[in-house]
Amino acid sequence: MMLLRSMLPTLLLLFTLPAVADAQTDRAMQDSIKQFFAQGVYVKGARAELLEVLRWPNAAGKLRWRMPALNNHSARPSLIAEQGRGKSLRRWYVPVRLNWWAKVVVTKTDLPARSRLSAEMLGLARVNVAGHSGSWWKKPSHLAGMQLTRPLQAGKAIYTSYVHRPKLIRRGDHVTMIANYGGLQVTAVGKALQSVGIGDRVSIRNLKSKQVVQGVVASASTVHIITGETL
């Protein structure tokens, strides 16, 4: 029994060596996966970078590779590898480790939770988004007026779960409506018919004419009337 225990590490090593050696010596298989990623593999705006093949398929020679349908940017998906055609088709699911790179909106400085965001606080950077299920933004202006739900350090990407859009205008609030007709700007006072945040579309009733028009929230007291609407 003692002899068997002492030999166990050696036996395990002997069983694992062939698989490792196959992966190391089969250059065609390795080249095929490198070429697959070199041509550019994109999912929802992010480009995949291969870090490691966690388990090589029991195969030899060049393989055809493709990414499975992904709902997010998983750091450890399983690629689909194929060899042959028709009745001779063979398929393997190959676990890999990936980075996913995308140009996203990030914070310029450290920001505490509940910070109200403005375009001046934000910038763009190439970030690894692997493992994050939320969406991100590509333009700092699209985050203006939103509020952080957590503190963020400088250079961190902002995902949908990190922010919410506070209601700047409540239903029944009186606001200034601004409409542009050519070079002429017209203002009037209206009443909001919905509770909305900055950038949201809102229905406003003109207090004088009683007409309901559509506008976009510019601030807590100002709505820009959509082109074509009349006050």
Side-chain angles (χ1 to χ4, degrees):
M1 180 63 73
M2 293 297 294
L3 179 61
L4 180 60
R5 288 180 179 176
S6 64
M7 293 177 61
L8 186 57
T10 303
L11 292 172
L12 290 174
L13 180 61
L14 289 174
F15 279 119
T16 56
L17 275 177
V20 175
D22 287 346
Q24 291 177 344
T25 57
D26 194 338
R27 182 60 59 185
M29 187 190 301
Q30 294 186 54
D31 287 346
S32 66
I33 195 171
K34 289 177 182 178
Q35 292 168 6
F36 173 69
F37 282 96
Q39 68 186 2
V41 179
Y42 292 88
V43 172
K44 298 180 180 178
R47 181 169 181 166
E49 176 192 20
L50 178 65
L51 298 178
E52 180 184 6
V53 176
L54 300 176
R55 186 178 67 251
W56 288 94
N58 183 21
K62 185 177 180 180
L63 300 176
R64 299 186 303 275
W65 299 88
R66 55 190 173 93
M67 189 71 67
L70 297 176
N71 294 324
N72 54 47
H73 297 92
S74 172
R76 294 195 174 193
S78 288
L79 299 183
I80 300 170
E82 294 179 339
Q83 194 174 63
R85 304 282 182 182
K87 292 183 179 180
S88 63
L89 176 66
R90 299 178 68 195
R91 180 178 292 122
W92 299 266
Y93 293 91
V94 183
V96 296
R97 193 163 62 89
L98 303 178
N99 283 337
W100 290 96
W101 295 99
K103 194 171 185 180
V104 306
V105 175
V106 299
T107 58
K108 287 183 178 179
T109 60
D110 294 349
L111 295 175
R114 301 184 64 79
S115 294
R116 185 70 59 82
L117 298 176
S118 64
E120 293 72 25
M121 299 176 178
L122 309 172
L124 290 172
R126 188 171 178 264
V127 172
N128 177 23
V129 298
H132 293 279
S133 58
S135 300
W136 58 82
W137 281 264
K138 296 181 180 180
K139 292 184 179 181
S141 59
H142 291 173
L143 277 162
M146 292 193 182
Q147 194 172 45
L148 286 179
T149 59
R150 65 182 68 191
L152 285 180
Q153 295 178 336
K156 292 295 184 180
I158 302 177
Y159 299 94
T160 49
S161 60
Y162 293 4
V163 295
H164 78 280
R165 190 186 298 275
K167 303 299 184 184
L168 292 185
I169 295 175
R170 299 288 176 179
R171 181 173 179 172
D173 285 352
H174 288 188
V175 297
T176 299
M177 302 183 295
I178 300 176
N180 291 292
Y181 304 106
L184 180 65
Q185 186 177 87
V186 178
T187 63
V189 178
K191 183 171 73 173
L193 302 182
Q194 301 151 289
S195 295
V196 286
I198 191 166
D200 288 342
R201 183 165 175 156
V202 60
S203 297
I204 303 290
R205 175 174 283 113
N206 188 318
L207 293 182
K208 186 174 182 179
S209 69
K210 307 304 180 184
Q211 182 179 357
V212 176
V213 295
Q214 300 293 309
V216 176
V217 177
S219 71
S221 60
T222 306
V223 173
H224 289 293
I225 302 306
I226 295 172
T227 303
E229 298 276 358
T230 57
L231 296 179

